Amino acid sequence: MLLCLAVSNNSLFYLKWRVFTDFNAELVCCANNYTSRFGNGYTVEIPDLDPADKSGREVVVSARPEELIVHTDLEGEGLKAEIMDSVFLGLNTHYFVKTETGEEAEIIQESRIDSILPPGTKVRLTLNAVKANVFDKETTLSLMRGVRNEVEV
């Protein structure tokens, strides 16, 4: 969680942003490729996982707000969600959503002045898998290639 302070017209505002959104998933190995399967059945291939066998393990898939992609068409793969609120910030619009699997997420998307999605809008979310991080749910260690989990202090 990132906490920011903003001052406008001599008033102080506290803005709270979640830096990452975490989704529970299961890791599945198919033909040497690893796929994360989310609670609703949505699957996405994760290209940079460490090659050690991790199939069947419960994982947490973590994504930055700008790595979640909002689709207004509900057909196709993805996580169904509902827009709870939005904040237009010029270049970007921040959407706060609740997914069908119960997670709350913040999404940052380039603003389109002609189509800010109002609260209550049903959307479909997909993940930019190249930018996702995957962690073992039990140990919380990263499962990504090139990450050193054991650091001596």
Side-chain angles (χ1 to χ4, degrees):
M1 177 91 54
L2 177 67
L3 182 64
C4 297
L5 300 176
V7 178
S8 175
N9 297 329
N10 296 323
S11 297
L12 185 63
F13 298 96
Y14 294 91
L15 304 173
K16 236 173 27 174
W17 281 301
R18 293 183 64 159
V19 178
F20 289 95
T21 299
D22 295 333
F23 298 97
N24 292 315
E26 177 186 12
L27 207 55
V28 180
C29 181
C30 300
N32 296 325
N33 293 322
Y34 286 99
T35 301
S36 288
R37 181 172 40 221
F38 295 87
N40 72 338
Y42 170 51
T43 59
V44 62
E45 185 178 330
I46 307 291
D48 291 322
L49 282 173
D50 189 318
D53 183 27
K54 296 167 180 55
S55 188
R57 141 182 334 200
E58 288 188 16
V59 296
V60 174
V61 178
S62 187
R64 290 184 181 272
E66 62 272 15
E67 305 308 336
L68 294 168
I69 303 158
V70 176
H71 305 273
T72 54
D73 65 334
L74 300 178
E75 299 300 317
E77 287 211 0
L79 291 169
K80 305 289 189 286
E82 180 178 346
I83 303 285
M84 305 308 287
D85 203 0
S86 64
V87 178
F88 174 77
L89 295 174
L91 181 61
N92 295 314
T93 299
H94 292 236
Y95 289 107
F96 302 91
V97 302
K98 185 165 188 174
T99 69
E100 65 185 317
T101 52
E103 292 98 355
E104 292 182 359
E106 177 184 2
I107 299 155
I108 300 173
Q109 149 175 320
E110 189 174 317
S111 294
R112 293 181 54 183
I113 196 73
D114 63 333
S115 63
I116 294 175
L117 302 172
T121 302
K122 305 288 187 200
V123 294
R124 179 174 53 92
L125 306 177
T126 56
L127 174 68
N128 179 353
V130 174
K131 300 284 188 157
N133 289 290
V134 179
F135 300 91
D136 182 277
K137 188 171 184 175
E138 185 178 322
T139 67
T140 69
L141 296 176
S142 175
L143 302 178
M144 304 304 290
R145 187 178 311 142
V147 173
R148 290 188 54 194
N149 286 303
E150 297 155 15
V151 178
E152 293 184 29
V153 181

